[in-house]
Amino acid sequence: MSIHGLPASVPTVGPSHFDILKVIRPNILELHPYRCARDDYQDGILLDANENPLGHSITRSGKAPDSFLDLDLHRYPDPAQNAIKERIASLRSLPGVDHILLGVGSDEIVDLVMRVCAAPGKDKILITPPTYGMYSVYAQINDIEAIKCPLELTGAAGEGGESGRFSVRVSEMKETIDANPSIKLIFLCSPGNPTGTLIPLSTVRAILDYPNFKGIVVVDEAYIDFTSDDASAVSLVKEYGNLVVIQTLSKSFGLAGVRVGVALAQPPLIQILRNTKAPYNISTPTANITLSALSPHSVSTMRNKISTLVASRKTLLADLAALASLGVGPAIGANDANFVVVPILSVDGKPDNTRAQCLYRSLAEKNGVIVRYRGNEPGCEGCVRISVGTKEENMTAVTKMREVLSAI
């Protein structure tokens, strides 16, 4: 069986133990994708899609920016968005647009990968808590069991002044795979949320190369631009057909409100995802903003802002360390993202969920500073997660934390 829409000339990429036709659900392989009006023609007298030829009805006095009003909002958007994909391919050093899929945020891609690979009520996924919560949510929505292989925490926070460190236990993961042959997907969040920890490429390779795992490894890199340039698993895409890397424009590009996610993989998997996605999932205003954000000048601006945030992260960590006498423990994780996670300790120096919740609520309800309580996550007892803000926001957050912790 072939993949609809994929040229027969596309070569198969390793590893040798992986066969994508045995991973994808049979009904998905048999799916003939919906042919939308803009698949074939984008220009001319367009009388094929039942659009409104008189244009949109938004007046200049409305709230929409004037630049949007000049777009062809009465026409369906380009389903391929190859201009955007070309810029992403260049940015991430990939061969071409056939290695890229766009989604409505990375969440749509997470859901899509599950739906094409895992049969409801039969197959499983593997996650590594503490990790991004939407993996479990989408697993439940799709009636897929989520098997947990917790990250290893060494140097527990609050013990001897050492910060906790998280890492993937490859040997335990292999044992879990062997015990659960119906696992079709492994989700690795790198850098992790909420751990902020980058997973080494050697670890990703070890899982990709494990012959007993016949499924697909998903590396979620929402925060990858906040760490070193050579850390991305995208560098492995050219070698491995059983890998998909997910990225987003929400974090480093500062476009959380635009909702654009990116899947990076070999063409066979990308084609299957294209066959399954909604035909017009990226709107015209979204595409317009995204293309601008991926221009050389905008990318340069993005990288300058990342440098500022990384420097601010270092300052924030130092300022939080100065609150040690008030019960702020050493940050956990490797701090490879745009946030930090610190445990709030009791008087006896142990992580304290009750005190952390009190801090969280008091900061939000009485001081206008919103952080995230993460104490219910494995390995994160008593922890709050603090996004790196502007210099002024960070200073205010630390000042308010000092005031609240002094009173509780």
Side-chain angles (χ1 to χ4, degrees):
M1 182 181 291
S2 61
I3 297 172
H4 295 302
L6 185 73
S9 59
V10 173
T12 300
V13 176
S16 59
H17 64 266
F18 174 72
D19 183 352
I20 193 170
L21 298 181
K22 294 181 180 179
V23 176
I24 305 301
R25 294 167 58 190
N27 62 304
I28 299 296
L29 288 173
E30 295 172 359
L31 174 68
H32 286 269
Y34 173 75
R35 293 291 299 173
C36 63
R38 292 296 161 264
D39 275 327
D40 297 322
Y41 305 105
Q42 290 80 41
D43 302 304
I45 299 176
L46 301 174
L47 304 178
D48 55 348
N50 305 330
E51 299 155 324
N52 186 336
L54 303 182
H56 62 75
S57 302
I58 304 172
T59 63
R60 294 284 174 179
S61 60
K63 293 183 178 180
D66 286 354
S67 60
F68 289 163
L69 303 185
D70 294 329
L71 299 175
D72 291 330
L73 300 179
H74 61 301
R75 300 297 185 189
Y76 285 108
D78 176 6
Q81 301 294 351
N82 282 334
I84 294 174
K85 293 176 184 177
E86 286 171 0
R87 290 188 174 180
I88 293 172
S90 176
L91 179 66
R92 302 308 188 192
S93 300
L94 286 172
V97 300
D98 56 349
H99 286 67
I100 299 165
L101 179 94
L102 303 180
V104 182
S106 57
D107 287 342
E108 183 186 30
I109 297 171
V110 170
D111 182 40
L112 196 59
V113 171
M114 284 194 200
R115 286 192 284 124
V116 303
C117 293
K122 176 183 175 182
D123 293 327
K124 303 173 182 178
I125 66 169
L126 189 151
I127 60 175
T128 58
T131 191
Y132 182 43
M134 287 305 293
Y135 308 146
S136 294
V137 171
Y138 280 122
Q140 185 168 353
I141 289 172
N142 289 296
D143 192 20
I144 301 164
E145 183 180 354
I147 302 296
K148 297 178 181 179
C149 186
L151 298 175
E152 183 176 20
L153 177 63
T154 59
E159 294 181 2
E162 296 295 327
S163 60
R165 298 294 179 186
F166 291 92
S167 61
V168 174
R169 293 182 281 194
V170 176
S171 59
E172 182 175 328
M173 185 172 288
K174 290 180 178 179
E175 291 175 2
T176 304
I177 291 168
D178 293 344
N180 297 274
S182 58
I183 291 175
K184 288 292 185 69
L185 296 165
I186 295 175
F187 284 88
L188 302 176
C189 195
S190 177
N193 177 13
T195 68
T197 301
L198 182 73
I199 297 175
L201 294 185
S202 58
T203 297
V204 178
R205 277 187 182 275
I207 300 167
L208 289 167
D209 285 330
Y210 187 51
N212 289 0
F213 178 57
K214 311 298 184 182
I216 291 171
V217 177
V218 182
V219 181
D220 187 345
E221 294 188 341
Y223 302 95
I224 195 64
D225 290 320
F226 295 96
T227 186
S228 57
D229 292 338
D230 58 352
S232 174
V234 174
S235 62
L236 305 180
V237 165
K238 297 174 186 178
E239 301 176 50
Y240 292 94
N242 56 339
L243 168 67
V244 56
V245 177
I246 299 177
Q247 297 182 350
T248 179
L249 271 69
S250 294
K251 312 301 181 182
S252 57
F253 283 87
L255 294 177
V258 175
R259 312 305 303 130
V260 175
V262 183
L264 309 165
Q266 279 291 316
L269 179 55
I270 292 297
Q271 185 63 52
I272 289 167
L273 295 174
R274 283 185 61 193
N275 291 349
T276 313
K277 78 170 184 68
Y280 301 116
N281 63 332
I282 304 300
S283 73
T284 296
T286 293
N288 188 262
I289 294 172
T290 302
L291 195 61
S292 295
L294 290 166
S295 70
H297 177 74
S298 295
V299 170
S300 177
T301 300
M302 176 269 286
R303 286 174 171 156
N304 288 335
K305 289 186 176 182
I306 286 177
S307 297
T308 298
L309 289 172
V310 170
S312 295
R313 182 180 66 196
K314 183 178 180 180
T315 301
L316 177 60
L317 286 167
D319 290 343
L320 290 170
L323 301 181
S325 62
L326 296 175
V328 177
I332 66 172
N335 303 309
D336 288 316
N338 67 335
F339 59 82
V340 299
V341 179
V342 292
I344 306 303
L345 311 178
S346 62
V347 292
D348 59 0
K350 295 182 179 180
D352 187 335
N353 275 350
T354 301
R355 194 163 187 247
Q357 285 182 321
C358 183
L359 171 67
Y360 159 68
R361 295 191 182 281
S362 182
L363 284 175
E365 296 170 7
K366 298 179 181 179
N367 296 278
V369 176
I370 317 299
V371 298
R372 194 80 182 269
Y373 171 71
R374 298 280 79 181
N376 294 330
E377 298 286 335
C380 298
E381 184 178 0
C383 285
V384 293
R385 191 189 71 195
I386 306 170
S387 300
V388 179
T390 64
K391 179 180 179 180
E392 294 75 20
E393 288 173 337
N394 294 339
M395 291 175 61
T396 298
V398 172
T399 297
K400 295 298 183 181
M401 286 181 67
R402 180 181 291 108
E403 293 174 1
V404 173
L405 289 171
S406 298
I408 62 175

